[in-house]
Each structure stands twice: as structure tokens, then as C-alpha cells.
Amino acid sequence: MNENEAIGIFDSGIGGVTVLKEILKILPNEKYIYYSDSKNNPYGDKSDEQINALCDNIVQQFIKQRCKIIVIACNTASAKSVKYLREKYKNIPFIAIEPAYKMVYDYAYKNPTLVMATKGTIESEKFNLLYHTYDNHKTILLPCVGLADLIEKGNQDEIKTYLKEHLEQYKGKIKNVVLGCTHYPLIKNEIKEILGEVEFFNGAPYLAKHLKDVLEEKHLKNMENKKNTIQFIDSSNDEQKKKRFFEIIKE
Ligand code: DGL
């Protein structure tokens, strides 16, 4: 492996762009390959075996493309498959996102908290361990079935209707919102429209910092001062997705 090889990053769709944006802020000189598995979106309702197989396929492609490290920019895939992937691919480091629930424990323990994530994440063993370790006893776990899918499709009216239906009951009762799916930072404003002023907790900035530390520690960080490159691959070859992805990167 050498420092010129790429960082592979994947999600079930374009949601992981919210993770890549944080990474770009502190690792601006790398070569990135982003894989959006929109053909198999959503991951949230799939079995562990199905998600393992999908992740396995993506990881094999990244290895063929000589990636030096892999970022799982999908909470569901991290929760269900990172252990399996780390055991199977021992020579490549994996950096995995997780809901920023520990941050609530560290910085806003006393406040009533809503964790929004996919059903898969909320039911996973990995998340349950995190939750029970840092439980502030004022937390509601909300599996947002179908929400990542709506964000992926990008229809504002449908997103607003969904949020109204599922979040209105918490208005005025919640202070912390954990964005436990990488698609959700894309709808922060829409969430605020329903819940009012809340504090968001997103694991992406911490993942970015951790990625940088690991690259440095393993001497894999690109030391050349050249601008990053981003290759976007979508499993259903959706040109619209590609367009939206690069629009969000530029925002
Ligand atoms: N962005 C994925 C996550 O963080 C969405 C999962 C899905 O496809 O349901 O969980």
C-alpha cells in the first residue's frame, strides 16, 4: 500500500456524502472513490446476511481499485457488517460511522434525546451496546422506516409529510437529536421546522478525525500537496444521483 492509493467510501446511496464532506475539510489532498449502492437501497430493512453480502461485494471492488483504507459511511452497514468485514479482510483498515450517542453522554447528558436511525441500526447488537453503555435515561429511539429512501429520492413534499407524521408528537419535548443515519444531515432544516430549536449530534466530524489519525499512524496519508479527486460510482448508473452528489459536495 502507499499514500497515493485511494480512500474507498460507501453508503447505500448518496447519504454518505455528508460524511465525505466532513472528511474533505481535514483531508483535502486525497484520492477518493465513493460508491453509492442505490441499486440495493435501502439497507435499513435488510437482514444481516444480505447486508454482509452487499458490503462484501463493494469491498472487493475497492480492493481491485487498490484502496488503502475503507470508510463505511452508512450507519446500518457499520452496525451490521463491520465486524464481519474486519474479520474477513484483515489487511485493510475499516473506519465505520456510528450514531453520535456517546457525544450526548459527554456534552448534553441531561437533555431529552431523540435518536433517529434506520430500523436495522436501532435493532443491531452494536448500537444496543452503545446505547446501554451511554444511556441518559431520557432517550427515545425512533426507527425511521423509509426515511432514507425518501431522502434518496429527494422529493421535498414527501419528506415533509413523513417528518410531520413521525416527529410532531415530540415537538417541545426534545432538545438533542442524534442523526443516526448518514442521509439525515441532509434534512436538518426540515427536522427543525417540525421540532423547533434542537441540537444535532452527527458522528461524521469524529469519523473524519479518526480517519486522519489512522492514516497518519499507518503512514498512509497523502503528503503531496495536490487537490483531491473524487470518483463517483453508482450501482444503478443513475446520472441524476451523480449530479446531486456533486452539487451537495459544492454546497
Ligand atoms: N445512510 C444509511 C445509514 O446511515 C441509510 C441506510 C438505508 O439505506 O436504509 O444508515
Side-chain angles (χ1 to χ4, degrees):
M1 278 196 250
N2 78 53
E3 68 276 10
N4 292 320
E5 288 167 359
I7 297 176
I9 165 165
F10 74 93
D11 179 37
S12 63
I14 58 164
V17 69
T18 61
V19 179
L20 179 56
K21 280 185 80 149
E22 293 299 330
I23 295 173
L24 289 170
K25 287 183 194 164
I26 59 169
L27 288 166
N29 306 323
E30 298 285 339
K31 191 172 149 188
Y32 295 95
I33 305 175
Y34 183 97
Y35 190 98
S36 145
D37 195 8
S38 71
K39 194 166 121 194
N40 297 302
N41 180 282
Y43 279 10
D45 316 326
K46 290 194 167 54
S47 72
D48 295 13
E49 291 71 27
Q50 284 172 314
I51 297 180
N52 284 348
L54 293 171
C55 292
D56 210 342
N57 177 41
I58 298 168
V59 166
Q60 284 180 30
Q61 297 195 43
F62 280 154
I63 290 173
K64 271 193 210 131
Q65 290 178 289
R66 298 168 57 78
C67 286
K68 59 185 175 186
I69 196 162
I70 294 175
V71 176
I72 308 179
C74 171
N75 286 273
T76 315
S78 295
K80 297 206 169 215
S81 298
V82 70
K83 194 163 168 253
Y84 163 81
L85 294 171
R86 283 186 176 135
E87 271 163 22
K88 182 159 181 189
Y89 300 98
K90 294 206 165 64
N91 293 330
I92 185 150
F94 288 92
I95 306 293
I97 188 93
E98 68 176 13
Y101 192 61
K102 180 177 183 294
M103 261 174 84
V104 168
Y105 181 89
D106 289 341
Y107 301 110
Y109 184 82
K110 290 196 182 125
N111 296 338
T113 303
L114 182 70
V115 177
M116 296 174 69
T118 67
K119 183 167 165 282
T121 298
I122 287 184
E123 289 175 355
S124 70
E125 209 183 303
K126 190 166 182 282
F127 175 72
N128 272 280
L129 185 65
L130 178 80
Y131 171 58
H132 290 297
T133 309
Y134 298 107
D135 189 0
N136 74 348
H137 305 285
K138 284 182 192 165
T139 294
I140 294 160
L141 303 179
L142 185 67
C144 299
V145 178
L147 182 56
D149 208 14
L150 293 181
I151 300 169
E152 193 67 23
K153 287 191 193 120
N155 181 319
Q156 278 298 311
D157 291 342
E158 284 178 357
I159 293 168
K160 285 187 177 176
T161 307
Y162 183 102
L163 292 177
K164 207 168 165 29
E165 200 178 303
H166 292 84
L167 294 188
E168 197 141 73
Q169 56 181 310
Y170 304 115
K171 193 187 169 112
K173 296 181 188 145
I174 288 296
K175 285 229 163 68
N176 303 330
V177 175
V178 176
L179 301 168
C181 165
T182 55
H183 282 72
Y184 303 166
L186 297 172
I187 55 158
K188 274 199 315 204
N189 291 339
E190 291 79 355
I191 295 173
K192 270 193 178 176
E193 269 174 34
I194 309 281
L195 290 181
E197 265 318 304
V198 288
E199 194 175 348
F200 289 109
F201 293 82
N202 174 8
Y206 294 87
L207 175 142
K209 167 88 177 56
H210 180 52
L211 171 65
K212 185 167 177 268
D213 291 346
V214 173
L215 289 176
E216 280 170 354
E217 196 185 288
K218 294 187 181 294
H219 307 289
L220 290 172
K221 190 165 167 261
N222 188 1
M223 303 309 272
E224 283 174 47
N225 196 12
K226 58 180 180 203
K227 196 170 158 21
N228 63 68
T229 58
I230 305 169
Q231 182 191 350
F232 178 84
I233 304 166
D234 181 69
S235 56
S236 46
N237 286 320
D238 186 334
E239 280 303 312
Q240 272 310 105
K241 287 240 146 109
K242 184 171 181 179
K243 195 168 159 262
R244 202 159 145 234
F245 174 87
F246 283 107
E247 274 166 13
I248 299 171
I249 291 274
K250 279 192 223 116
E251 270 167 17

